[in-house]
Amino acid sequence: SRLVNEFCSRGIKIQIYQKSDNPIICPGGESIESFTDLASVSSLPDLVLSVGGDGTFLETVLKVKDLEIPVAGVNTGRMGFLANISEEELSDSIDMLCNGEFETIERCLLEIVQPSSLFPGSSSSALNEITIHKADLSMITINVYIDNTYLNTYWADGLIISTATGSTAYNLSVGGPILSPEDESFIISPIAPHNLTIRPIIVSGESR
C-alpha cells in the first residue's frame, strides 16, 4: 500500500503482478493495471520492483531476464543481499529511482541446456547457482568437463556451480570464495567431498 501511494502521489504509472482479481486503486481513484505475465502488459515498464526478500528477487529476475528490464529490490524479508532497499529508506529510494539516480549492474546467469526436459514449463536459468545433489544417504560421483575438457571426478554429497551473485549464498556455506557482484566468473564448489584435497575452483564465465 505504501509503495502504491508513493508512486501514485508522484504521477508514476504502475503495474502490479497479482494472481487475484481484486482491483487495486490509487488514492485518487485511478485503477492500476494488474498482470500475471509481464509479456502481456499494455506497455513494458522502465523498472521492476521486487517486494520481499532475496528469494522473491531471484524469482523476479527469472520473470524479466529476457526483457532487459532493471530490477530493484525492496526488502520486507529476512535476507537483503539482493533486495537492499529497506522500508525505512523507501521514500528517499523512490525519489532516487524516479530521478534516475541509480546505477544498473549487469549480472551473469547460469543455464542448464541438457537435458532439455529437466524443467518442463519453467525456467532452466539461475541467478545464484545450479546444484547437483545426492538423492539418498550415499555420496555420488560427478564427472566434470569444462568446454569438453576433463576437469575432475568429484565423490561428494553434491556440486554447486555458482555465479558471482550466488557466491555469498550456498557457495559461501560450503567454503567457496566470494566474488565481486559484477565478476563474470563461475565457481565450482563440491559439497562435503570425500577427498579433503578437493577445493572450489573459479572458471571463466564463458565456460560450458
Side-chain angles (χ1 to χ4, degrees), residues 26-98:
C26 271
E30 179 186 353
S31 63
I32 296 173
E33 180 182 2
S34 62
F35 64 92
T36 55
D37 180 4
L38 198 56
S40 67
V41 296
S42 57
S43 60
L44 288 178
D46 297 311
L47 177 77
V48 170
L49 279 183
S50 170
V51 184
D54 284 354
T56 306
F57 191 96
L58 294 172
E59 182 181 353
T60 303
V61 167
L62 296 184
K63 291 184 182 297
V64 303
K65 65 183 179 69
D66 295 323
L67 301 173
E68 297 185 0
I69 302 172
V71 179
V74 177
N75 183 25
T76 60
R78 290 178 297 175
M79 300 296 289
F81 287 110
L82 297 170
N84 56 9
I85 298 175
S86 68
E87 293 185 64
E88 294 75 21
E89 302 169 333
L90 201 56
S91 294
D92 290 340
S93 296
I94 290 175
D95 279 335
M96 295 174 71
L97 290 173
C98 292

Side-chain angles (χ1 to χ4, degrees), residues 34-180:
S34 62
F35 64 92
T36 55
D37 180 4
L38 198 56
S40 67
V41 296
S42 57
S43 60
L44 288 178
D46 297 311
L47 177 77
V48 170
L49 279 183
S50 170
V51 184
D54 284 354
T56 306
F57 191 96
L58 294 172
E59 182 181 353
T60 303
V61 167
L62 296 184
K63 291 184 182 297
V64 303
K65 65 183 179 69
D66 295 323
L67 301 173
E68 297 185 0
I69 302 172
V71 179
V74 177
N75 183 25
T76 60
R78 290 178 297 175
M79 300 296 289
F81 287 110
L82 297 170
N84 56 9
I85 298 175
S86 68
E87 293 185 64
E88 294 75 21
E89 302 169 333
L90 201 56
S91 294
D92 290 340
S93 296
I94 290 175
D95 279 335
M96 295 174 71
L97 290 173
C98 292
N99 293 330
E101 299 173 8
F102 59 88
E103 179 184 358
T104 302
I105 300 174
E106 293 187 358
R107 301 208 180 194
C108 290
L109 294 174
L110 283 164
E111 183 179 22
I112 296 181
V113 179
Q114 295 176 340
S116 58
S117 59
L118 197 59
F119 298 105
S122 60
S123 175
S124 60
S125 299
L127 176 61
N128 266 5
E129 75 273 316
I130 290 171
T131 303
I132 302 166
H133 202 281
K134 66 179 185 179
D136 51 37
L137 296 177
S138 301
M139 286 190 288
I140 54 177
T141 301
I142 307 169
N143 298 312
V144 176
Y145 293 79
I146 298 178
D147 298 323
N148 296 322
T149 299
Y150 174 74
L151 172 68
N152 198 11
T153 296
Y154 295 90
W155 186 24
D157 284 353
L159 196 70
I160 302 168
I161 296 97
S162 170
T163 65
T165 304
S167 66
T168 54
Y170 199 178
N171 164 74
L172 180 62
S173 299
V174 300
I178 297 175
L179 299 181
S180 179

Side-chain angles (χ1 to χ4, degrees), residues 110-111 145-147 184 186 188 202-208:
L110 283 164
E111 183 179 22
Y145 293 79
I146 298 178
D147 298 323
E184 296 182 356
F186 294 143
I188 301 174
I202 298 174
V203 300
S204 166
E206 301 294 325
S207 302
R208 293 173 65 89

